[in-house]
């Protein structure tokens, strides 16, 4: 039931992307509040692996980062951070079809990566041309330092 509910909430969040720019932040704030309320009221063991104080901090931090520039992908990443803190396999955040299609049209990073000791390593190449880089440490991607990338992934 939790899976369906989180997926439903993610679909609800898509309306913010269609709103006028000055209302985007309000829409995402509302959606984040809906997710929080739904989890607190419906999840059977929300605080089993992560204390309530940690969840409060995560939600407050995410709420503070929402702006008119928040994109649907940004909001998906925010919900993923919430889901990460639930720490069980019954809850997950799923991309909307529109967002999945948007991502599919973009260039992707052609490597599987390994995150180890707060560093990023190229585990294996998805193309033959990149096999010589396997095992190398990633210092930056498109001008973003690895520390920034790790924060974005966390």
């Amino acid at each position: 039931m939790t899976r369906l509910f989180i997926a439903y909430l993610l679909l609800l969040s898509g309306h913010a992307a269609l709103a006028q720019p000055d209302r985007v932040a309000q829409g995402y704030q509302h959606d984040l509040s809906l997710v929080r309320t739904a989890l607190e009221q419906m999840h059977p063991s929300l605080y089993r692996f992560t204390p309530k104080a940690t969840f409060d901090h995560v939600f407050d931090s995410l709420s503070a980062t929402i702006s008119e520039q928040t994109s649907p992908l940004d909001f998906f990443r925010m919900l993923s951070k919430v889901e990460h803190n639930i720490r069980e396999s019954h809850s997950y955040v799923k991309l909307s079809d529109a967002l999945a299609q948007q991502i599919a049209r973009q260039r992707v990073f052609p490597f599987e990566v390994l995150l180890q000791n707060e560093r990023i390593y190229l585990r294996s190449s998805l193309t033959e041309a990149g096999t010589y880089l396997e095992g190398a440490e990633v210092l930056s991607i498109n001008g973003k330092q690895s520390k920034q990338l790790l924060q974005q992934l966390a």
Side-chain angles (χ1 to χ4, degrees):
M1 180 164 138
T2 304
R3 287 181 184 188
L4 292 174
F5 193 71
I6 297 298
Y8 174 72
L9 289 174
L10 184 57
L11 291 175
L12 284 179
S13 71
H15 84 272
L18 302 173
Q20 297 297 320
D22 60 334
R23 295 193 178 194
V24 169
Q26 287 178 333
Y28 285 133
Q29 289 287 357
H30 180 260
D31 291 349
L32 187 63
S33 178
L34 278 175
V35 169
R36 183 179 195 164
T37 300
L39 285 172
E40 289 174 346
Q41 291 179 359
M42 298 183 74
H43 197 284
S45 57
L46 183 61
Y47 308 117
R48 181 175 182 190
F49 300 110
T50 303
K52 183 179 184 325
T54 301
F55 269 106
D56 290 344
H57 176 73
V58 168
F59 276 106
D60 293 344
S61 297
L62 294 175
S63 181
T65 64
I66 293 174
S67 71
E68 291 178 6
Q69 288 75 39
T70 300
S71 71
L73 182 57
D74 295 331
F75 191 68
F76 171 79
R77 288 177 176 146
M78 290 178 186
L79 293 179
S80 294
K81 289 180 182 184
V82 171
E83 185 273 330
H84 170 77
N85 281 284
I86 296 172
R87 300 186 190 277
E88 47 95 338
S89 62
H90 300 286
S91 301
Y92 63 95
V93 180
K94 183 179 177 197
L95 289 171
S96 67
D97 289 340
L99 189 53
Q101 289 173 2
Q102 176 187 344
I103 290 171
R105 288 189 300 267
Q106 297 177 355
R107 295 186 325 179
V108 296
F109 191 63
F111 294 93
E112 290 182 9
V113 296
L114 171 66
L115 307 178
Q116 187 173 21
N117 299 324
E118 297 186 26
R119 293 179 178 212
I120 304 171
Y121 297 94
L122 301 178
R123 184 178 196 153
S124 62
S125 176
L126 302 177
T127 66
E128 274 190 49
T131 56
Y132 73 97
L133 293 169
E134 291 175 359
E137 180 179 357
V138 175
L139 302 177
S140 67
I141 299 174
N142 295 337
K144 284 191 176 183
Q145 298 297 313
S146 61
K147 284 187 179 187
Q148 290 175 295
L149 296 168
L150 288 169
Q151 287 174 346
Q152 194 173 7
L153 291 172

